[in-house]
Amino acid sequence: MTSNLSLRLLPLALAIALAACSGPAAPPAADTGAAPAVVDNAAAPATDLPAGWTRLDGGALPSLPGQVAVLPAKVTSDDGAEVEVDDTGRIIVGGDDVIAVIDALGLGKQVFAAPKNTTTATGRAAPHQFLFNRTTGVEGVLSLQGSLFLGNSLRRHTELAEKLRAVGEPAVVVDDLQPAPDKVRKIAAALGLAAAGEQLATQVQQQLDEAAAIGKTSGQAPRVIHVSATGAGGAPTVAGADSASAQLIALAGGLNIGTEAGVANYSALSNEGVVAAAPQVILVTEHDLALFGGAEGLWKAYPTLRQTPAGQANRVWVMPDVQLKYASVGSGVGALALARALAALPPA
């Protein structure tokens, strides 16, 4: 006999398969440069989150500033190369997950170039912003005259790192598809701060373990949809199985609908797919909410979200990017905040 879950997944899988043809209902609003809302809104002004929405923030991230780096540092890049780092004064950074660790170690001023789509204050304050992707040219990176390239993706940065090393530039890749504590250790080691990195990683792991324990004892697995304004050629997307947020949602005791449907990375989902997913919680990061153009932009991008249990309950949780969208030093506090919030939900 066909199970209720199978019946639910059939239209969802079909909707995802058709998404490339039908697409989302509308593109996200253009980035106006407005700052994202930062306040939980129980009774907030109109400029803050809409009534009923919640800013879910785990608070301060683990940090260990004031450490003394031991250089040169000899490390193994995730693409297998042995790299010696002797200068971290002008770091060219491949992603915000790397920046978060650099900030936690008190070295934010050493970020010399960051991705153009950075969501961090440190990245925006860097002397240079640069487009990092699979086609990034070695000449452009060399022209920045940094002292270290710290990439965050084997898919995007392996070839670039190899070319940089070939001309004598130190380049380390710490792949994003690994647990947050491992990334923290590797990034810190590349900065000559291996001992501090171990301490930070231990704190993050403890927080993740605590969140997992809360998730396991809650007795329910709320259905969660993490929507993003980016990830599919600029179209609205949902977080898939190999995204950092999918891992966080599962650890916190939730059921990520993108994982359930077999979606990879961040993929478009049709309006029919949104309804079929029947999420009880809508998650969005602060930066993505700003890219959507606020609450109205989010509803416009995915109008059928209003028809879901989460939409009918007006249950939209807004989280800092560093605590949800990538695995890094903020993953522990983000997981704890999410686990506690999910555990407090009324039974479906």
Side-chain angles (χ1 to χ4, degrees), residues 55-62 320 322-323 330 333-334 337:
R55 185 177 191 276
L56 199 62
D57 190 336
L61 278 55
V322 72
Q323 295 183 27
V333 297

Side-chain angles (χ1 to χ4, degrees), residues 8-17 223 257 260-261 269 273-274 276-277:
R8 177 186 288 161
L9 285 179
L10 181 59
L12 177 56
L14 178 60
I16 290 168
R223 300 176 61 78
I257 66 95
E260 180 184 66
L269 183 61
V274 170

Side-chain angles (χ1 to χ4, degrees), residues 240-251:
D242 57 353
S243 65
S245 61
Q247 308 306 314
L248 208 68
I249 290 166
L251 182 141

Side-chain angles (χ1 to χ4, degrees), residues 121-147:
T122 293
R124 292 191 295 268
H128 303 280
Q129 278 74 41
F130 200 77
L131 179 63
F132 293 105
N133 56 30
R134 288 186 179 90
T135 62
T136 298
V138 65
E139 295 84 3
V141 175
L142 288 172
S143 70
L144 296 172
Q145 297 184 325
S147 63

Side-chain angles (χ1 to χ4, degrees), residues 67-335:
Q67 306 297 307
V68 178
V70 179
L71 297 173
K74 296 182 179 181
V75 297
T76 302
S77 175
D78 278 347
D79 62 345
E82 299 296 323
V83 182
E84 181 172 302
V85 179
D86 57 14
D87 183 356
T88 61
R90 301 182 310 282
I91 308 169
I92 300 174
V93 180
D96 283 343
D97 47 354
V98 178
I99 292 177
V101 178
I102 293 173
D103 276 338
L105 295 167
L107 304 179
K109 292 183 178 180
Q110 294 173 212
V111 174
F112 190 64
K116 285 185 176 180
N117 63 350
T118 180
T119 65
T120 65
T122 293
R124 292 191 295 268
H128 303 280
Q129 278 74 41
F130 200 77
L131 179 63
F132 293 105
N133 56 30
R134 288 186 179 90
T135 62
T136 298
V138 65
E139 295 84 3
V141 175
L142 288 172
S143 70
L144 296 172
Q145 297 184 325
S147 63
L148 169 66
F149 175 75
L150 260 177
N152 74 332
S153 171
L154 288 176
R155 295 164 295 174
R156 295 188 299 272
H157 299 145
T158 293
E159 184 177 354
L160 173 61
E162 290 172 348
K163 291 179 178 179
L164 289 171
R165 295 186 206 114
V167 294
E169 291 289 325
V172 177
V173 180
V174 178
D175 194 43
D176 53 353
L177 300 178
Q178 61 185 300
D182 293 338
K183 291 171 68 175
V184 171
R185 290 185 184 94
K186 292 177 180 180
I187 294 167
L191 300 172
L193 292 169
E198 186 62 42
Q199 293 182 58
L200 283 178
T202 298
Q203 291 183 57
V204 173
Q205 187 63 63
Q206 290 172 344
Q207 292 166 336
L208 292 172
D209 291 344
E210 184 179 350
I214 294 170
K216 289 177 181 177
T217 58
S218 68
Q220 56 181 331
R223 300 176 61 78
V224 180
I225 185 170
H226 172 200
V227 294
S228 174
T230 60
T237 58
V238 300
D242 57 353
S243 65
S245 61
Q247 308 306 314
L248 208 68
I249 290 166
L251 182 141
L255 192 156
N256 180 53
I257 66 95
T259 302
E260 180 184 66
V263 171
N265 200 10
Y266 284 86
S267 300
L269 183 61
S270 70
N271 284 322
E272 294 79 6
V274 170
V275 174
Q280 296 162 262
V281 176
I282 299 165
L283 278 183
V284 63
T285 66
E286 293 170 346
H287 183 68
D288 274 323
L289 183 59
L291 291 179
F292 276 122
E296 288 307 312
L298 173 63
W299 297 130
K300 183 178 179 181
Y302 274 133
T304 53
L305 275 175
R306 290 184 183 273
Q307 302 173 26
T308 66
Q312 291 173 357
N314 201 27
R315 189 177 295 120
V316 182
W317 297 348
V318 182
M319 294 187 67
D321 292 71
V322 72
Q323 295 183 27
L324 177 67
K325 205 167 185 181
Y326 43 83
S328 189
V329 72
S331 296
V333 297

